[in-house]
Amino acid sequence: MIDQLQVAKSDDDLDIPFRFWKNHPATGVDFPDLSIATSEATLTRPLVDALASRIPAKIDVLAGLDIGGLGLAGALAYRNGLGFIDIRKVDSLRNEVMRSIMANYELGEGVVISKGARLAGRHVAIVDDCLISGGTAMAAARLIRRLGGHCDCALFVFEIEGMGGRERLAGSGITAEVLRTAPQTATAPADGN
């Protein structure tokens, strides 16, 4: 359930409007929904520019994670002249178009890359809207690596603090670039609205 609108701010004056989804993906964790920002061009452009500034020069391909990272990765790829692939949850692709599967028990069935993706020898950065535990990004990185790609960078708009995602990725040799942190649980606005 979406219960409130907040604006995240930083020293560089980049505002990222978002709403929390209460108790999603688990009780006691509120997910920062980015759709308010991404539905407005005047808000999307600075957000994409901020993420683009964090893409290492060696990157050839951006891998958008289903579903929040897909649009962001596409926009970043177009802006920076990079390749783009989508990494989907197993149930979102038909078997005949799947290239390979990597188990991710947090997603149930895992993640997949379509057969057309050429990754061998290429440097790939993962893109998603929110870093929570890091499980999905780690499964994606393992799959990219198994297919011959190099993956040591992931870009996120938000990181939910205290969930261990950044540390978990670092333990797998992946640097997490994050624009903002969000609390695990949303706080009520001061005026009660």
Side-chain angles (χ1 to χ4, degrees), residues 33-79:
D33 174 23
L34 189 59
S35 63
I36 295 167
T38 58
S39 65
E40 298 293 332
T42 58
L43 300 172
T44 302
R45 192 173 303 237
L47 176 65
V48 169
D49 288 343
L51 284 170
S53 72
R54 289 163 171 83
I55 299 172
K58 67 183 177 185
I59 298 300
D60 304 304
V61 178
L62 297 174
L65 297 184
D66 188 1
I67 190 165
L70 295 177
L72 292 170
L76 285 165
Y78 177 77
R79 181 196 180 280

Side-chain angles (χ1 to χ4, degrees), residues 55-56 59-64 123-127 144 150-151 153-155:
I55 299 172
I59 298 300
D60 304 304
V61 178
L62 297 174
H123 292 273
V124 182
I126 294 167
V127 179
I144 290 164
H150 306 284
C151 185
C153 177
L155 305 153

Side-chain angles (χ1 to χ4, degrees), residues 7 18 22 33 43 54 56 58-59 69 89 98 108 114-115 124 149 151 154 163:
V7 177
F18 65 96
K22 295 294 287 174
D33 174 23
L43 300 172
R54 289 163 171 83
K58 67 183 177 185
I59 298 300
K89 295 173 182 118
M98 289 183 195
S114 68
K115 289 180 179 180
V124 182
C151 185
M163 300 297 290

Side-chain angles (χ1 to χ4, degrees), residues 13-160:
D13 293 326
L14 175 65
D15 292 340
I16 306 173
F18 65 96
R19 292 183 185 175
F20 279 107
W21 293 354
K22 295 294 287 174
N23 296 312
H24 177 80
T27 302
V29 178
D30 297 339
F31 185 85
D33 174 23
L34 189 59
S35 63
I36 295 167
T38 58
S39 65
E40 298 293 332
T42 58
L43 300 172
T44 302
R45 192 173 303 237
L47 176 65
V48 169
D49 288 343
L51 284 170
S53 72
R54 289 163 171 83
I55 299 172
K58 67 183 177 185
I59 298 300
D60 304 304
V61 178
L62 297 174
L65 297 184
D66 188 1
I67 190 165
L70 295 177
L72 292 170
L76 285 165
Y78 177 77
R79 181 196 180 280
N80 287 36
L82 300 171
F84 163 72
I85 63 167
D86 54 289
I87 297 184
R88 306 270 184 129
K89 295 173 182 118
V90 167
D91 290 338
S92 68
L93 284 179
R94 298 185 323 267
N95 287 340
E96 65 270 16
V97 300
M98 289 183 195
R99 177 167 180 186
S100 189
I101 297 173
M102 179 57 67
N104 177 346
Y105 298 106
E106 291 175 10
L107 293 177
E109 297 295 324
V111 295
V112 298
I113 295 174
S114 68
K115 289 180 179 180
R118 295 177 317 211
L119 299 176
R122 300 176 84 189
H123 292 273
V124 182
I126 294 167
V127 179
D128 205 2
D129 57 347
C130 188
L131 173 58
I132 303 174
S133 71
T136 305
M138 283 180 46
R142 285 193 305 266
L143 181 52
I144 290 164
R145 290 168 177 171
R146 190 169 78 192
L147 297 172
H150 306 284
C151 185
D152 61 6
C153 177
L155 305 153
F156 302 92
V157 176
F158 292 108
E159 174 184 15
I160 298 179

